């Protein structure tokens, strides 16, 4: 019972602490494509197509469990909708790193983490709300947290990169 009260307190506390999203610039546009769980394309009023990467979260990569579910969740949440993004910066791939608000008040990063479809990307974020939501999802085994051996996308990418490097090294050695 005490755990339930604490969980509810954390959820309500997180909701009560919800603020206007951080971002240097607000861009309004229509979501025209969902690339994966944390990336999509937005068509601005000026007919400029931009790529947007959700801030502070990392969704499973293709071929990882829950990748398709994360993409489907994002598609159902924002595809075809007019939304606001709150741009924090651009990444090395030219994508806008942004907070995304949809359905008037929902933060897409928070919703993905709450539903166990994304990790709080602590390497690039110190957002206590996201960490609290992840802790609750993990504790309640929601979404990807049902699998105790789930691998964070950044670790999965590093493992894949290392496997490629070793394969290349082996080929060079055998020549």
């Amino acid at each position: 019972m005490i755990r339930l009260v604490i969980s509810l307190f954390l959820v309500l506390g997180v909701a009560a602490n919800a603020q206007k999203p951080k971002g240097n610039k607000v861009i309004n546009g229509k979501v025209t494509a969902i690339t994966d769980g944390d990336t999509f394309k937005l068509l601005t009023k000026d007919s400029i197509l931009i790529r947007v990467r959700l801030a502070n979260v990392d969704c499973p990569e293709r071929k990882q469990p829950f990748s398709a579910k994360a993409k489907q969740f994002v598609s159902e949440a924002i595809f075809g909708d007019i939304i606001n993004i709150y741009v924090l910066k651009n990444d090395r791939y030219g994508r806008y790193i942004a907070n995304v608000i949809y359905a008037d008040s929902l933060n897409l990063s928070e919703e993905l983490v709450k539903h166990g479809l994304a990790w709080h990307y602590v390497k690039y974020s110190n957002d206590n709300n996201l960490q609290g939501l992840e802790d609750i999802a993990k504790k309640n085994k929601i979404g990807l947290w049902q699998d105790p051996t789930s691998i964070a996308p950044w670790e999965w990418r590093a493992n894949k990169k290392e496997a490629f490097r070793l394969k290349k090294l082996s080929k060079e050695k055998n020549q």
Side-chain angles (χ1 to χ4, degrees), residues 57-68:
V57 298
D58 204 3
C59 286
E61 294 289 320
R62 287 186 184 102
K63 298 185 181 178
Q64 272 193 286
F66 287 91
S67 171

Side-chain angles (χ1 to χ4, degrees), residues 56-170:
N56 306 319
V57 298
D58 204 3
C59 286
E61 294 289 320
R62 287 186 184 102
K63 298 185 181 178
Q64 272 193 286
F66 287 91
S67 171
K69 287 183 181 181
K71 182 177 179 180
Q72 183 65 33
F73 182 90
V74 172
S75 183
E76 290 172 6
I78 64 172
F79 181 73
D81 292 350
I82 306 289
I83 63 167
N84 288 329
I85 66 168
Y86 298 80
V87 180
L88 301 172
K89 63 182 181 176
N90 289 78
D91 69 7
R92 62 184 172 172
Y93 306 110
R95 299 176 298 187
Y96 287 82
I97 306 299
N99 287 303
V100 174
I101 302 302
Y102 71 103
D104 293 327
S105 63
L106 297 174
N107 180 309
L108 189 54
S109 295
E110 290 178 359
E111 292 301 309
L112 281 162
V113 172
K114 186 178 6 177
H115 287 88
L117 298 171
W119 279 259
H120 175 215
Y121 208 167
V122 294
K123 181 177 179 181
Y124 298 105
S125 169
N126 60 2
D127 187 317
N128 291 330
N129 289 341
L130 283 174
Q131 191 57 57
L133 291 169
E134 181 179 296
D135 293 344
I136 292 168
K138 197 182 294 187
K139 179 179 166 263
N140 293 312
K141 296 179 171 54
I142 297 169
L144 58 87
W145 301 112
Q146 295 169 28
D147 179 1
T149 63
S150 61
I151 299 170
W154 55 88
E155 291 172 9
W156 190 85
R157 289 188 295 269
N159 292 342
K160 192 174 172 184
K161 195 176 200 179
E162 179 64 10
F164 179 77
R165 187 188 72 77
L166 291 173
K167 186 177 179 181
K168 184 179 175 184
L169 191 63
S170 175

